[in-house]
Amino acid sequence: MNFSFSKYHALGNDYIVINPKDLPAPLTTEQVKVICHRNFGVGSDGILLGPLPSSTAKCALKIYNPDGSIAEKSGNGLRIFSRYLWDTKFVGDDEFAIQTDGGLVRSTVFDGGAMVRVEMGKISFDSDKIGVVGSKRDVINEKITVAGREFTYCAATIGNPHCVLPLTEISSEMAHKYGPGLETHPNFPKKINVQFLKILDRANIQIEIWERGAGYTLASGSSSSAAASVAHKLGLVDNKISVHCPGGIIKIEIREGFDILMTGGVTKVSEGVYSPEIFSEKL
């Protein structure tokens, strides 16, 4: 049975949006892998399944990584999903709430759908909330070794876990080399998202991103939130930060109590229909 989808990207971080009412049956892990595969499917950095029912928000959202695992929260995914809800007239120009596995967020679509602002929630550096081994503590400037190199890192959560490595120089090659080992490091039993962070000035940072369950990524809203918050926690930046990702710039405002406001662009790519033939492929 064919079913429809929409595709969007947020600064090169692309997602497939599927409305559950269009599905003949619940998505399986293998189907998620095929849909996201860039050779055997349409290709994407994940799937956004919604709108789903919610008693606490306008709707709920389920976020799938390309490997079929669940992501608690995704800043770019939330911006894309918000734009999809706006495009389908499920919401209008007023602020609305979305329930995720990583908590409730509030979103506003503006500039004719081109820009989306999301109240991401509060950043925490608490090891228990992030999922870092050892005694309960704020995870700031700790040592970690991967692939023969020692790094200093900080960890944070905004509903999903992040490992931030402040460095003087960063590159995509560094993310590819060290990202997989950091994602699956024994310090993080539930795995972790990784950001390689370079401070540009008091209002600008640059990051390279390795996402848990997705790999190298051109942009990430939750990663931008975490990296900006770590930089602010370390006293290296002010509270309004432009985060320079490989795919473009995400604006982060850090409010009282490390409450995060994220703003960035969204582009609609396409609409289409999946053929059931693709699910006969064995990946």
Side-chain angles (χ1 to χ4, degrees), residues 47-85:
I47 291 176
L48 307 173
L49 183 65
L52 295 162
S54 172
S55 59
T56 58
K58 179 71 173 177
C59 65
L61 169 66
K62 185 69 70 175
I63 307 168
Y64 292 91
N65 291 316
D67 65 358
S69 62
I70 298 294
E72 302 94 337
K73 189 183 283 187
S74 162
N76 282 359
L78 282 161
R79 294 208 317 278
I80 286 171
F81 184 62
S82 298
R83 167 68 185 275
Y84 169 80
L85 295 178

PDB file of all heavy atoms in Angstrom, residues 47-85:
ATOM      1  N   ILE A  47      13.045  10.518  10.559  1.00  0.00           N
ATOM      2  CA  ILE A  47      11.609  10.574  10.249  1.00  0.00           C
ATOM      3  C   ILE A  47      10.880  11.253  11.391  1.00  0.00           C
ATOM      4  O   ILE A  47      11.125  10.965  12.572  1.00  0.00           O
ATOM      5  CB  ILE A  47      11.043   9.166  10.015  1.00  0.00           C
ATOM      6  CG1 ILE A  47      11.605   8.579   8.711  1.00  0.00           C
ATOM      7  CG2 ILE A  47       9.517   9.194   9.948  1.00  0.00           C
ATOM      8  CD1 ILE A  47      11.183   7.152   8.447  1.00  0.00           C
ATOM      9  N   LEU A  48       9.981  12.152  11.049  1.00  0.00           N
ATOM     10  CA  LEU A  48       9.106  12.823  12.012  1.00  0.00           C
ATOM     11  C   LEU A  48       7.708  12.261  11.829  1.00  0.00           C
ATOM     12  O   LEU A  48       7.092  12.447  10.772  1.00  0.00           O
ATOM     13  CB  LEU A  48       9.122  14.330  11.774  1.00  0.00           C
ATOM     14  CG  LEU A  48      10.501  14.987  11.734  1.00  0.00           C
ATOM     15  CD1 LEU A  48      10.387  16.451  11.308  1.00  0.00           C
ATOM     16  CD2 LEU A  48      11.196  14.874  13.086  1.00  0.00           C
ATOM     17  N   LEU A  49       7.219  11.546  12.832  1.00  0.00           N
ATOM     18  CA  LEU A  49       5.892  10.930  12.760  1.00  0.00           C
ATOM     19  C   LEU A  49       4.923  11.755  13.590  1.00  0.00           C
ATOM     20  O   LEU A  49       5.028  11.837  14.812  1.00  0.00           O
ATOM     21  CB  LEU A  49       5.944   9.490  13.270  1.00  0.00           C
ATOM     22  CG  LEU A  49       4.641   8.694  13.188  1.00  0.00           C
ATOM     23  CD1 LEU A  49       4.229   8.482  11.729  1.00  0.00           C
ATOM     24  CD2 LEU A  49       4.784   7.351  13.902  1.00  0.00           C
ATOM     25  N   GLY A  50       3.956  12.367  12.913  1.00  0.00           N
ATOM     26  CA  GLY A  50       2.983  13.189  13.605  1.00  0.00           C
ATOM     27  C   GLY A  50       2.096  13.921  12.599  1.00  0.00           C
ATOM     28  O   GLY A  50       2.340  13.854  11.395  1.00  0.00           O
ATOM     29  N   PRO A  51       1.032  14.596  13.089  1.00  0.00           N
ATOM     30  CA  PRO A  51       0.717  14.819  14.496  1.00  0.00           C
ATOM     31  C   PRO A  51       0.083  13.598  15.169  1.00  0.00           C
ATOM     32  O   PRO A  51      -0.769  12.934  14.589  1.00  0.00           O
ATOM     33  CB  PRO A  51      -0.267  15.988  14.443  1.00  0.00           C
ATOM     34  CG  PRO A  51      -0.921  15.879  13.085  1.00  0.00           C
ATOM     35  CD  PRO A  51       0.134  15.323  12.177  1.00  0.00           C
ATOM     36  N   LEU A  52       0.533  13.335  16.399  1.00  0.00           N
ATOM     37  CA  LEU A  52      -0.022  12.283  17.245  1.00  0.00           C
ATOM     38  C   LEU A  52      -0.855  12.919  18.356  1.00  0.00           C
ATOM     39  O   LEU A  52      -0.637  14.073  18.706  1.00  0.00           O
ATOM     40  CB  LEU A  52       1.106  11.445  17.845  1.00  0.00           C
ATOM     41  CG  LEU A  52       1.953  10.641  16.854  1.00  0.00           C
ATOM     42  CD1 LEU A  52       3.271  10.220  17.500  1.00  0.00           C
ATOM     43  CD2 LEU A  52       1.193   9.433  16.350  1.00  0.00           C
ATOM     44  N   PRO A  53      -1.799  12.181  18.935  1.00  0.00           N
ATOM     45  CA  PRO A  53      -2.633  12.756  20.003  1.00  0.00           C
ATOM     46  C   PRO A  53      -1.806  13.136  21.233  1.00  0.00           C
ATOM     47  O   PRO A  53      -0.817  12.475  21.553  1.00  0.00           O
ATOM     48  CB  PRO A  53      -3.609  11.624  20.338  1.00  0.00           C
ATOM     49  CG  PRO A  53      -3.543  10.678  19.190  1.00  0.00           C
ATOM     50  CD  PRO A  53      -2.174  10.800  18.612  1.00  0.00           C
ATOM     51  N   SER A  54      -2.208  14.198  21.905  1.00  0.00           N
ATOM     52  CA  SER A  54      -1.568  14.620  23.148  1.00  0.00           C
ATOM     53  C   SER A  54      -2.602  15.294  24.041  1.00  0.00           C
ATOM     54  O   SER A  54      -3.419  16.076  23.557  1.00  0.00           O
ATOM     55  CB  SER A  54      -0.426  15.585  22.870  1.00  0.00           C
ATOM     56  OG  SER A  54       0.075  16.142  24.072  1.00  0.00           O
ATOM     57  N   SER A  55      -2.531  14.997  25.324  1.00  0.00           N
ATOM     58  CA  SER A  55      -3.439  15.630  26.283  1.00  0.00           C
ATOM     59  C   SER A  55      -2.850  16.903  26.857  1.00  0.00           C
ATOM     60  O   SER A  55      -3.536  17.660  27.561  1.00  0.00           O
ATOM     61  CB  SER A  55      -3.752  14.658  27.430  1.00  0.00           C
ATOM     62  OG  SER A  55      -2.559  14.280  28.095  1.00  0.00           O
ATOM     63  N   THR A  56      -1.563  17.173  26.568  1.00  0.00           N
ATOM     64  CA  THR A  56      -0.885  18.328  27.166  1.00  0.00           C
ATOM     65  C   THR A  56      -0.436  19.360  26.131  1.00  0.00           C
ATOM     66  O   THR A  56       0.101  20.400  26.502  1.00  0.00           O
ATOM     67  CB  THR A  56       0.360  17.855  27.952  1.00  0.00           C
ATOM     68  OG1 THR A  56       1.225  17.149  27.068  1.00  0.00           O
ATOM     69  CG2 THR A  56      -0.037  16.947  29.105  1.00  0.00           C
ATOM     70  N   ALA A  57      -0.619  19.067  24.851  1.00  0.00           N
ATOM     71  CA  ALA A  57      -0.134  19.958  23.799  1.00  0.00           C
ATOM     72  C   ALA A  57      -1.061  19.889  22.599  1.00  0.00           C
ATOM     73  O   ALA A  57      -2.007  19.090  22.562  1.00  0.00           O
ATOM     74  CB  ALA A  57       1.283  19.560  23.390  1.00  0.00           C
ATOM     75  N   LYS A  58      -0.792  20.741  21.625  1.00  0.00           N
ATOM     76  CA  LYS A  58      -1.562  20.716  20.383  1.00  0.00           C
ATOM     77  C   LYS A  58      -1.476  19.340  19.731  1.00  0.00           C
ATOM     78  O   LYS A  58      -2.440  18.831  19.171  1.00  0.00           O
ATOM     79  CB  LYS A  58      -1.029  21.797  19.436  1.00  0.00           C
ATOM     80  CG  LYS A  58      -1.717  21.870  18.089  1.00  0.00           C
ATOM     81  CD  LYS A  58      -3.128  22.431  18.210  1.00  0.00           C
ATOM     82  CE  LYS A  58      -3.747  22.649  16.837  1.00  0.00           C
ATOM     83  NZ  LYS A  58      -5.137  23.136  16.935  1.00  0.00           N
ATOM     84  N   CYS A  59      -0.289  18.720  19.828  1.00  0.00           N
ATOM     85  CA  CYS A  59      -0.084  17.368  19.306  1.00  0.00           C
ATOM     86  C   CYS A  59       1.220  16.826  19.858  1.00  0.00           C
ATOM     87  O   CYS A  59       1.997  17.554  20.492  1.00  0.00           O
ATOM     88  CB  CYS A  59      -0.062  17.363  17.776  1.00  0.00           C
ATOM     89  SG  CYS A  59       1.332  18.265  17.068  1.00  0.00           S
ATOM     90  N   ALA A  60       1.465  15.564  19.607  1.00  0.00           N
ATOM     91  CA  ALA A  60       2.735  14.932  19.977  1.00  0.00           C
ATOM     92  C   ALA A  60       3.498  14.560  18.718  1.00  0.00           C
ATOM     93  O   ALA A  60       2.932  14.464  17.619  1.00  0.00           O
ATOM     94  CB  ALA A  60       2.489  13.693  20.840  1.00  0.00           C
ATOM     95  N   LEU A  61       4.806  14.342  18.889  1.00  0.00           N
ATOM     96  CA  LEU A  61       5.701  14.012  17.781  1.00  0.00           C
ATOM     97  C   LEU A  61       6.612  12.867  18.203  1.00  0.00           C
ATOM     98  O   LEU A  61       7.157  12.872  19.308  1.00  0.00           O
ATOM     99  CB  LEU A  61       6.546  15.240  17.423  1.00  0.00           C
ATOM    100  CG  LEU A  61       7.732  15.017  16.469  1.00  0.00           C
ATOM    101  CD1 LEU A  61       7.245  14.607  15.087  1.00  0.00           C
ATOM    102  CD2 LEU A  61       8.587  16.280  16.389  1.00  0.00           C
ATOM    103  N   LYS A  62       6.769  11.886  17.315  1.00  0.00           N
ATOM    104  CA  LYS A  62       7.737  10.808  17.504  1.00  0.00           C
ATOM    105  C   LYS A  62       8.852  10.990  16.471  1.00  0.00           C
ATOM    106  O   LYS A  62       8.583  11.157  15.285  1.00  0.00           O
ATOM    107  CB  LYS A  62       7.069   9.446  17.316  1.00  0.00           C
ATOM    108  CG  LYS A  62       7.966   8.269  17.614  1.00  0.00           C
ATOM    109  CD  LYS A  62       8.298   8.139  19.098  1.00  0.00           C
ATOM    110  CE  LYS A  62       7.101   7.713  19.919  1.00  0.00           C
ATOM    111  NZ  LYS A  62       7.448   7.474  21.340  1.00  0.00           N
ATOM    112  N   ILE A  63      10.110  10.966  16.957  1.00  0.00           N
ATOM    113  CA  ILE A  63      11.262  11.236  16.101  1.00  0.00           C
ATOM    114  C   ILE A  63      12.104   9.967  15.975  1.00  0.00           C
ATOM    115  O   ILE A  63      12.543   9.403  16.981  1.00  0.00           O
ATOM    116  CB  ILE A  63      12.126  12.373  16.681  1.00  0.00           C
ATOM    117  CG1 ILE A  63      11.276  13.618  16.961  1.00  0.00           C
ATOM    118  CG2 ILE A  63      13.274  12.711  15.725  1.00  0.00           C
ATOM    119  CD1 ILE A  63      11.978  14.676  17.789  1.00  0.00           C
ATOM    120  N   TYR A  64      12.327   9.535  14.742  1.00  0.00           N
ATOM    121  CA  TYR A  64      13.143   8.354  14.472  1.00  0.00           C
ATOM    122  C   TYR A  64      14.482   8.754  13.865  1.00  0.00           C
ATOM    123  O   TYR A  64      14.530   9.559  12.931  1.00  0.00           O
ATOM    124  CB  TYR A  64      12.431   7.423  13.486  1.00  0.00           C
ATOM    125  CG  TYR A  64      11.189   6.764  14.016  1.00  0.00           C
ATOM    126  CD1 TYR A  64       9.949   7.367  13.861  1.00  0.00           C
ATOM    127  CD2 TYR A  64      11.252   5.538  14.664  1.00  0.00           C
ATOM    128  CE1 TYR A  64       8.791   6.757  14.340  1.00  0.00           C
ATOM    129  CE2 TYR A  64      10.106   4.918  15.140  1.00  0.00           C
ATOM    130  CZ  TYR A  64       8.881   5.544  14.980  1.00  0.00           C
ATOM    131  OH  TYR A  64       7.738   4.945  15.445  1.00  0.00           O
ATOM    132  N   ASN A  65      15.567   8.168  14.375  1.00  0.00           N
ATOM    133  CA  ASN A  65      16.872   8.288  13.730  1.00  0.00           C
ATOM    134  C   ASN A  65      16.934   7.348  12.527  1.00  0.00           C
ATOM    135  O   ASN A  65      16.145   6.408  12.430  1.00  0.00           O
ATOM    136  CB  ASN A  65      17.979   7.923  14.719  1.00  0.00           C
ATOM    137  CG  ASN A  65      18.120   8.941  15.829  1.00  0.00           C
ATOM    138  OD1 ASN A  65      18.088  10.139  15.589  1.00  0.00           O
ATOM    139  ND2 ASN A  65      18.277   8.455  17.052  1.00  0.00           N
ATOM    140  N   PRO A  66      17.902   7.555  11.626  1.00  0.00           N
ATOM    141  CA  PRO A  66      18.005   6.686  10.436  1.00  0.00           C
ATOM    142  C   PRO A  66      18.271   5.222  10.752  1.00  0.00           C
ATOM    143  O   PRO A  66      17.999   4.361   9.913  1.00  0.00           O
ATOM    144  CB  PRO A  66      19.170   7.292   9.653  1.00  0.00           C
ATOM    145  CG  PRO A  66      19.307   8.672  10.145  1.00  0.00           C
ATOM    146  CD  PRO A  66      18.868   8.664  11.568  1.00  0.00           C
ATOM    147  N   ASP A  67      18.809   4.941  11.944  1.00  0.00           N
ATOM    148  CA  ASP A  67      19.055   3.536  12.304  1.00  0.00           C
ATOM    149  C   ASP A  67      17.841   2.897  12.969  1.00  0.00           C
ATOM    150  O   ASP A  67      17.906   1.752  13.427  1.00  0.00           O
ATOM    151  CB  ASP A  67      20.286   3.416  13.209  1.00  0.00           C
ATOM    152  CG  ASP A  67      20.104   4.089  14.572  1.00  0.00           C
ATOM    153  OD1 ASP A  67      19.032   4.692  14.816  1.00  0.00           O
ATOM    154  OD2 ASP A  67      21.034   4.010  15.400  1.00  0.00           O
ATOM    155  N   GLY A  68      16.729   3.623  13.019  1.00  0.00           N
ATOM    156  CA  GLY A  68      15.492   3.104  13.584  1.00  0.00           C
ATOM    157  C   GLY A  68      15.304   3.384  15.058  1.00  0.00           C
ATOM    158  O   GLY A  68      14.225   3.127  15.607  1.00  0.00           O
ATOM    159  N   SER A  69      16.339   3.935  15.720  1.00  0.00           N
ATOM    160  CA  SER A  69      16.211   4.270  17.141  1.00  0.00           C
ATOM    161  C   SER A  69      15.401   5.547  17.306  1.00  0.00           C
ATOM    162  O   SER A  69      15.169   6.296  16.347  1.00  0.00           O
ATOM    163  CB  SER A  69      17.592   4.425  17.779  1.00  0.00           C
ATOM    164  OG  SER A  69      18.315   5.494  17.175  1.00  0.00           O
ATOM    165  N   ILE A  70      14.969   5.795  18.540  1.00  0.00           N
ATOM    166  CA  ILE A  70      14.148   6.963  18.848  1.00  0.00           C
ATOM    167  C   ILE A  70      15.026   8.097  19.362  1.00  0.00           C
ATOM    168  O   ILE A  70      15.882   7.893  20.221  1.00  0.00           O
ATOM    169  CB  ILE A  70      13.075   6.624  19.908  1.00  0.00           C
ATOM    170  CG1 ILE A  70      12.126   5.542  19.380  1.00  0.00           C
ATOM    171  CG2 ILE A  70      12.298   7.879  20.310  1.00  0.00           C
ATOM    172  CD1 ILE A  70      11.273   5.983  18.209  1.00  0.00           C
ATOM    173  N   ALA A  71      14.813   9.297  18.839  1.00  0.00           N
ATOM    174  CA  ALA A  71      15.451  10.504  19.375  1.00  0.00           C
ATOM    175  C   ALA A  71      14.446  11.214  20.271  1.00  0.00           C
ATOM    176  O   ALA A  71      13.301  11.444  19.868  1.00  0.00           O
ATOM    177  CB  ALA A  71      15.880  11.423  18.236  1.00  0.00           C
ATOM    178  N   GLU A  72      14.873  11.527  21.497  1.00  0.00           N
ATOM    179  CA  GLU A  72      13.948  12.182  22.436  1.00  0.00           C
ATOM    180  C   GLU A  72      13.524  13.564  21.937  1.00  0.00           C
ATOM    181  O   GLU A  72      12.383  13.978  22.104  1.00  0.00           O
ATOM    182  CB  GLU A  72      14.593  12.324  23.816  1.00  0.00           C
ATOM    183  CG  GLU A  72      15.026  11.024  24.447  1.00  0.00           C
ATOM    184  CD  GLU A  72      16.486  10.703  24.154  1.00  0.00           C
ATOM    185  OE1 GLU A  72      17.028  11.215  23.157  1.00  0.00           O
ATOM    186  OE2 GLU A  72      17.068   9.936  24.935  1.00  0.00           O
ATOM    187  N   LYS A  73      14.476  14.276  21.351  1.00  0.00           N
ATOM    188  CA  LYS A  73      14.196  15.647  20.917  1.00  0.00           C
ATOM    189  C   LYS A  73      15.150  16.004  19.794  1.00  0.00           C
ATOM    190  O   LYS A  73      16.279  15.526  19.758  1.00  0.00           O
ATOM    191  CB  LYS A  73      14.354  16.622  22.094  1.00  0.00           C
ATOM    192  CG  LYS A  73      13.889  18.041  21.812  1.00  0.00           C
ATOM    193  CD  LYS A  73      14.142  18.950  23.013  1.00  0.00           C
ATOM    194  CE  LYS A  73      13.134  18.757  24.118  1.00  0.00           C
ATOM    195  NZ  LYS A  73      13.291  19.761  25.199  1.00  0.00           N
ATOM    196  N   SER A  74      14.703  16.842  18.866  1.00  0.00           N
ATOM    197  CA  SER A  74      15.539  17.352  17.786  1.00  0.00           C
ATOM    198  C   SER A  74      15.117  18.778  17.482  1.00  0.00           C
ATOM    199  O   SER A  74      13.967  19.020  17.114  1.00  0.00           O
ATOM    200  CB  SER A  74      15.398  16.492  16.529  1.00  0.00           C
ATOM    201  OG  SER A  74      15.870  17.184  15.388  1.00  0.00           O
ATOM    202  N   GLY A  75      16.035  19.710  17.650  1.00  0.00           N
ATOM    203  CA  GLY A  75      15.688  21.111  17.391  1.00  0.00           C
ATOM    204  C   GLY A  75      15.325  21.357  15.944  1.00  0.00           C
ATOM    205  O   GLY A  75      14.307  21.991  15.629  1.00  0.00           O
ATOM    206  N   ASN A  76      16.138  20.842  15.019  1.00  0.00           N
ATOM    207  CA  ASN A  76      15.823  21.003  13.601  1.00  0.00           C
ATOM    208  C   ASN A  76      14.562  20.232  13.234  1.00  0.00           C
ATOM    209  O   ASN A  76      13.736  20.689  12.438  1.00  0.00           O
ATOM    210  CB  ASN A  76      16.992  20.526  12.744  1.00  0.00           C
ATOM    211  CG  ASN A  76      18.117  21.549  12.688  1.00  0.00           C
ATOM    212  OD1 ASN A  76      18.030  22.618  13.276  1.00  0.00           O
ATOM    213  ND2 ASN A  76      19.173  21.210  11.977  1.00  0.00           N
ATOM    214  N   GLY A  77      14.421  19.028  13.805  1.00  0.00           N
ATOM    215  CA  GLY A  77      13.212  18.255  13.565  1.00  0.00           C
ATOM    216  C   GLY A  77      11.965  18.990  14.027  1.00  0.00           C
ATOM    217  O   GLY A  77      10.929  18.978  13.349  1.00  0.00           O
ATOM    218  N   LEU A  78      12.061  19.655  15.167  1.00  0.00           N
ATOM    219  CA  LEU A  78      10.919  20.415  15.683  1.00  0.00           C
ATOM    220  C   LEU A  78      10.604  21.615  14.794  1.00  0.00           C
ATOM    221  O   LEU A  78       9.426  21.929  14.568  1.00  0.00           O
ATOM    222  CB  LEU A  78      11.196  20.868  17.115  1.00  0.00           C
ATOM    223  CG  LEU A  78      11.011  19.775  18.162  1.00  0.00           C
ATOM    224  CD1 LEU A  78      11.732  20.129  19.460  1.00  0.00           C
ATOM    225  CD2 LEU A  78       9.523  19.547  18.427  1.00  0.00           C
ATOM    226  N   ARG A  79      11.635  22.279  14.295  1.00  0.00           N
ATOM    227  CA  ARG A  79      11.368  23.384  13.377  1.00  0.00           C
ATOM    228  C   ARG A  79      10.692  22.876  12.110  1.00  0.00           C
ATOM    229  O   ARG A  79       9.717  23.456  11.623  1.00  0.00           O
ATOM    230  CB  ARG A  79      12.664  24.123  13.030  1.00  0.00           C
ATOM    231  CG  ARG A  79      13.297  24.832  14.204  1.00  0.00           C
ATOM    232  CD  ARG A  79      14.121  26.051  13.820  1.00  0.00           C
ATOM    233  NE  ARG A  79      14.968  25.870  12.656  1.00  0.00           N
ATOM    234  CZ  ARG A  79      16.177  25.294  12.660  1.00  0.00           C
ATOM    235  NH1 ARG A  79      16.665  24.812  13.785  1.00  0.00           N
ATOM    236  NH2 ARG A  79      16.877  25.196  11.548  1.00  0.00           N
ATOM    237  N   ILE A  80      11.191  21.773  11.568  1.00  0.00           N
ATOM    238  CA  ILE A  80      10.599  21.192  10.356  1.00  0.00           C
ATOM    239  C   ILE A  80       9.163  20.759  10.616  1.00  0.00           C
ATOM    240  O   ILE A  80       8.263  21.047   9.813  1.00  0.00           O
ATOM    241  CB  ILE A  80      11.458  20.017   9.861  1.00  0.00           C
ATOM    242  CG1 ILE A  80      12.744  20.543   9.212  1.00  0.00           C
ATOM    243  CG2 ILE A  80      10.682  19.133   8.880  1.00  0.00           C
ATOM    244  CD1 ILE A  80      13.758  19.478   8.883  1.00  0.00           C
ATOM    245  N   PHE A  81       8.941  20.062  11.712  1.00  0.00           N
ATOM    246  CA  PHE A  81       7.590  19.583  12.021  1.00  0.00           C
ATOM    247  C   PHE A  81       6.640  20.756  12.229  1.00  0.00           C
ATOM    248  O   PHE A  81       5.481  20.710  11.788  1.00  0.00           O
ATOM    249  CB  PHE A  81       7.623  18.687  13.253  1.00  0.00           C
ATOM    250  CG  PHE A  81       6.302  18.061  13.590  1.00  0.00           C
ATOM    251  CD1 PHE A  81       5.687  17.190  12.711  1.00  0.00           C
ATOM    252  CD2 PHE A  81       5.673  18.338  14.794  1.00  0.00           C
ATOM    253  CE1 PHE A  81       4.465  16.608  13.014  1.00  0.00           C
ATOM    254  CE2 PHE A  81       4.458  17.758  15.112  1.00  0.00           C
ATOM    255  CZ  PHE A  81       3.844  16.899  14.222  1.00  0.00           C
ATOM    256  N   SER A  82       7.125  21.810  12.863  1.00  0.00           N
ATOM    257  CA  SER A  82       6.301  23.016  13.056  1.00  0.00           C
ATOM    258  C   SER A  82       5.909  23.617  11.714  1.00  0.00           C
ATOM    259  O   SER A  82       4.756  24.015  11.504  1.00  0.00           O
ATOM    260  CB  SER A  82       7.064  24.044  13.892  1.00  0.00           C
ATOM    261  OG  SER A  82       7.355  23.546  15.174  1.00  0.00           O
ATOM    262  N   ARG A  83       6.869  23.668  10.789  1.00  0.00           N
ATOM    263  CA  ARG A  83       6.574  24.192   9.455  1.00  0.00           C
ATOM    264  C   ARG A  83       5.560  23.301   8.737  1.00  0.00           C
ATOM    265  O   ARG A  83       4.636  23.803   8.058  1.00  0.00           O
ATOM    266  CB  ARG A  83       7.878  24.288   8.655  1.00  0.00           C
ATOM    267  CG  ARG A  83       7.707  24.520   7.162  1.00  0.00           C
ATOM    268  CD  ARG A  83       7.135  25.885   6.787  1.00  0.00           C
ATOM    269  NE  ARG A  83       6.897  25.943   5.348  1.00  0.00           N
ATOM    270  CZ  ARG A  83       7.832  26.264   4.439  1.00  0.00           C
ATOM    271  NH1 ARG A  83       9.060  26.566   4.815  1.00  0.00           N
ATOM    272  NH2 ARG A  83       7.517  26.297   3.161  1.00  0.00           N
ATOM    273  N   TYR A  84       5.701  21.980   8.884  1.00  0.00           N
ATOM    274  CA  TYR A  84       4.743  21.055   8.272  1.00  0.00           C
ATOM    275  C   TYR A  84       3.338  21.296   8.829  1.00  0.00           C
ATOM    276  O   TYR A  84       2.356  21.336   8.068  1.00  0.00           O
ATOM    277  CB  TYR A  84       5.179  19.620   8.540  1.00  0.00           C
ATOM    278  CG  TYR A  84       4.134  18.576   8.187  1.00  0.00           C
ATOM    279  CD1 TYR A  84       3.943  18.164   6.878  1.00  0.00           C
ATOM    280  CD2 TYR A  84       3.339  18.010   9.176  1.00  0.00           C
ATOM    281  CE1 TYR A  84       2.984  17.214   6.550  1.00  0.00           C
ATOM    282  CE2 TYR A  84       2.378  17.056   8.866  1.00  0.00           C
ATOM    283  CZ  TYR A  84       2.199  16.662   7.558  1.00  0.00           C
ATOM    284  OH  TYR A  84       1.238  15.714   7.244  1.00  0.00           O
ATOM    285  N   LEU A  85       3.218  21.453  10.147  1.00  0.00           N
ATOM    286  CA  LEU A  85       1.910  21.725  10.749  1.00  0.00           C
ATOM    287  C   LEU A  85       1.329  23.034  10.227  1.00  0.00           C
ATOM    288  O   LEU A  85       0.123  23.146   9.998  1.00  0.00           O
ATOM    289  CB  LEU A  85       2.039  21.777  12.273  1.00  0.00           C
ATOM    290  CG  LEU A  85       2.439  20.477  12.976  1.00  0.00           C
ATOM    291  CD1 LEU A  85       2.569  20.720  14.481  1.00  0.00           C
ATOM    292  CD2 LEU A  85       1.451  19.347  12.703  1.00  0.00           C
TER     293      LEU A  85
END
